[in-house]
């Protein structure tokens, strides 16, 4: 009888450990996302409603990079390779996406900036990466990103000398939203 109690207790502890580990794994992704957004860690940028900063006479060069994840059939590229603007000045850049397939394809973009320290001072006002995108067969779109580099950058002991920043996006294919997925190819496209 003692052996059964001991085995039951061990089984209950193991189940508790597995449940705890599962809960921690589930919470890790949102916690890490929150941590990166608050600290700028890993080149995660900030989101701003508008630019209320002063504009300095110092120039920063922002380079633009575009990538697609394996399995994503789109073509995706920046429409400009770089932009020079004053620190604190609002800039607008465009990326182009093209769906060369015969089917609608949905995608979402992840982003970061390099060097990582610049992420805390890179503020996006508007970005195609804030929402999922759906392209019809053969559709080509230009997608804007509106941003500025916060003048507080120059006061940062570690990041204060950064004058070259790369903004990079990677598009991933996602499941079509229900409204588009329920359309037949003829209904969902002007190209068939």
């Amino acid at each position: 009888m003692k052996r059964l109690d001991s085995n039951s207790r061990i089984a209950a502890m193991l189940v508790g450990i597995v449940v705890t580990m599962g809960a921690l794994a589930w919470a890790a992704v949102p916690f890490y996302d929150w941590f990166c957004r608050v600290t700028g860690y890993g080149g995660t940028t900030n989101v701003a409603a508008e630019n209320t900063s002063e504009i300095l006479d110092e120039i920063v060069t922002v380079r633009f990079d575009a990538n697609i994840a394996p399995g994503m059939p789109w073509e995706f590229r920046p429409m400009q390779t770089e932009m020079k603007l004053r620190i604190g000045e609002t800039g607008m850049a465009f990326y182009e996406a093209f769906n060369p397939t015969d089917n609608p394809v949905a995608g979402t973009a992840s982003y970061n900036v390099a060097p990582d320290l610049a992420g805390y001072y890179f503020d996006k006002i508007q970005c195609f990466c804030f929402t999922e995108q759906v392209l019809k067969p053969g559709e080509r779109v230009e997608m804007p990103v509106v941003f500025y580099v916060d003048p507080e950058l120059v006061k940062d002991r570690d990041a204060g000398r950064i004058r070259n920043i790369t903004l990079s996006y990677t598009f991933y294919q996602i499941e079509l939203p229900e409204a588009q997925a329920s359309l037949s190819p003829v209904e969902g496209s002007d190209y068939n």
Side-chain angles (χ1 to χ4, degrees), residues 82-153:
E82 70 178 35
M83 178 183 294
K84 293 183 185 295
L85 46 107
R86 295 184 298 167
I87 294 176
E89 180 180 11
T90 300
M92 180 185 294
F94 288 89
Y95 281 76
E96 179 183 73
F98 172 63
N99 178 5
T101 71
D102 294 333
N103 299 303
V105 176
T108 188
S110 65
Y111 55 88
N112 71 343
V113 298
D116 291 350
L117 288 173
Y120 187 74
Y121 300 100
F122 196 94
D123 292 290
K124 291 184 190 176
I125 298 170
Q126 176 187 349
C127 184
F128 58 89
C129 61
F130 295 160
T131 59
E132 55 191 38
Q133 307 295 319
V134 177
L135 298 184
K136 297 178 201 170
E139 184 176 14
R140 183 180 306 271
V141 295
E142 293 179 8
M143 302 175 292
V145 56
V146 179
F147 63 93
Y148 67 95
V149 177
D150 191 322
E152 292 295 313
L153 170 81

Side-chain angles (χ1 to χ4, degrees), residues 5-181:
D5 287 343
S6 177
N7 287 342
S8 296
R9 209 176 350 217
I10 290 172
M13 285 187 344
L14 290 175
V15 167
I17 289 171
V18 168
V19 168
T20 301
M21 290 176 69
L24 290 173
W26 176 81
V29 172
F31 179 75
Y32 181 75
D33 182 57
W34 169 82
F35 175 79
C36 289
R37 289 183 192 284
V38 167
T39 65
Y41 181 77
T44 302
T45 65
N46 292 312
V47 177
E50 61 184 32
N51 184 353
T52 59
S53 66
E54 63 179 307
I55 297 175
L56 305 179
D57 285 331
E58 295 189 48
I59 301 294
V60 65
T61 301
V62 179
R63 293 185 177 90
F64 303 95
D65 179 51
N67 304 284
I68 54 170
M72 173 52 124
W74 289 359
E75 295 172 15
F76 177 57
R77 69 178 185 90
M79 297 187 71
Q80 62 287 301
T81 56
E82 70 178 35
M83 178 183 294
K84 293 183 185 295
L85 46 107
R86 295 184 298 167
I87 294 176
E89 180 180 11
T90 300
M92 180 185 294
F94 288 89
Y95 281 76
E96 179 183 73
F98 172 63
N99 178 5
T101 71
D102 294 333
N103 299 303
V105 176
T108 188
S110 65
Y111 55 88
N112 71 343
V113 298
D116 291 350
L117 288 173
Y120 187 74
Y121 300 100
F122 196 94
D123 292 290
K124 291 184 190 176
I125 298 170
Q126 176 187 349
C127 184
F128 58 89
C129 61
F130 295 160
T131 59
E132 55 191 38
Q133 307 295 319
V134 177
L135 298 184
K136 297 178 201 170
E139 184 176 14
R140 183 180 306 271
V141 295
E142 293 179 8
M143 302 175 292
V145 56
V146 179
F147 63 93
Y148 67 95
V149 177
D150 191 322
E152 292 295 313
L153 170 81
V154 300
K155 298 176 186 173
D156 186 296
R157 185 182 62 157
D158 296 321
R161 289 189 170 18
I162 295 172
R163 295 300 179 269
N164 293 297
I165 298 172
T166 301
L167 175 60
S168 182
Y169 290 95
T170 302
F171 250 108
Y172 297 87
Q173 186 172 357
I174 59 173
E175 285 189 36
L176 278 172
E178 207 170 298
Q180 282 85 8

